Amino acid sequence: MGVGAFSELQSITCEVEAVDFLESTDKEVIFKKRPGKAKPPTIRLSRGKNASMELWAWHEAVLQGNIVAARKSCSLVMYNYDGQPVARYHLEHAWPSKLEVSALKAGASEVLMETVTIVGEHIQRVSG
């Protein structure tokens, strides 16, 4: 399923919580931080609003509680000025957790923007 092209990558977040750890020796107690639970990777993308319904239909599956149908494996490909791919990420079991449409004022000349937050179980940079 192709959701389309986006003009802005706002963020890719891949985080592991830091857990407090106390290590004691015969002489002292040392306070350390260790890796804890990994948080699900999150991607935020924006684009000018268009007539396409694919993104809304994907989000609608989540809203209806059909997470099995909504979870997709997908790729995010970034291109340079010449249209050549410079980085590719693969996201496993992804689903859109948030869909936003920017504010719009009558008579204004701004482009109406659509922003999607996509959450997955695992992200991997595969090239670039």
Side-chain angles (χ1 to χ4, degrees):
M1 174 178 110
V3 175
F6 292 84
S7 58
E8 182 180 354
L9 168 64
Q10 291 184 356
S11 64
I12 297 176
T13 304
C14 189
E15 182 179 354
V16 176
E17 293 179 358
V19 175
D20 296 338
F21 178 76
L22 291 176
E23 183 178 290
S24 61
T25 66
D26 294 337
K27 300 178 183 178
E28 63 186 342
V29 174
I30 302 168
F31 178 76
K32 294 183 175 183
K33 295 279 189 179
R34 300 286 169 122
K37 183 177 78 170
K39 294 182 179 181
T42 303
I43 296 174
R44 285 181 43 91
L45 301 163
S46 293
R47 68 181 180 187
K49 183 77 176 114
N50 59 34
S52 172
M53 294 296 290
E54 284 87 2
L55 189 57
W56 179 258
W58 190 21
H59 187 61
E60 186 72 21
V62 176
L63 292 173
Q64 293 175 354
N66 192 354
I67 194 64
V68 173
R71 291 172 58 177
K72 310 276 185 201
S73 293
C74 57
S75 292
L76 171 66
V77 183
M78 291 174 244
Y79 298 91
N80 66 10
Y81 176 75
D82 296 326
Q84 300 299 314
V86 294
R88 178 184 297 268
Y89 292 84
H90 185 72
L91 195 60
E92 291 287 330
H93 304 294
W95 52 276
S97 65
K98 186 176 185 180
L99 188 59
E100 300 174 67
V101 177
S102 64
L104 182 63
K105 182 177 178 181
S109 61
E110 295 101 26
V111 173
L112 185 61
M113 297 298 290
E114 181 175 49
T115 302
V116 63
T117 302
I118 300 172
V119 177
E121 289 181 5
H122 176 73
I123 190 167
Q124 180 180 6
R125 185 161 180 187
V126 292
S127 68

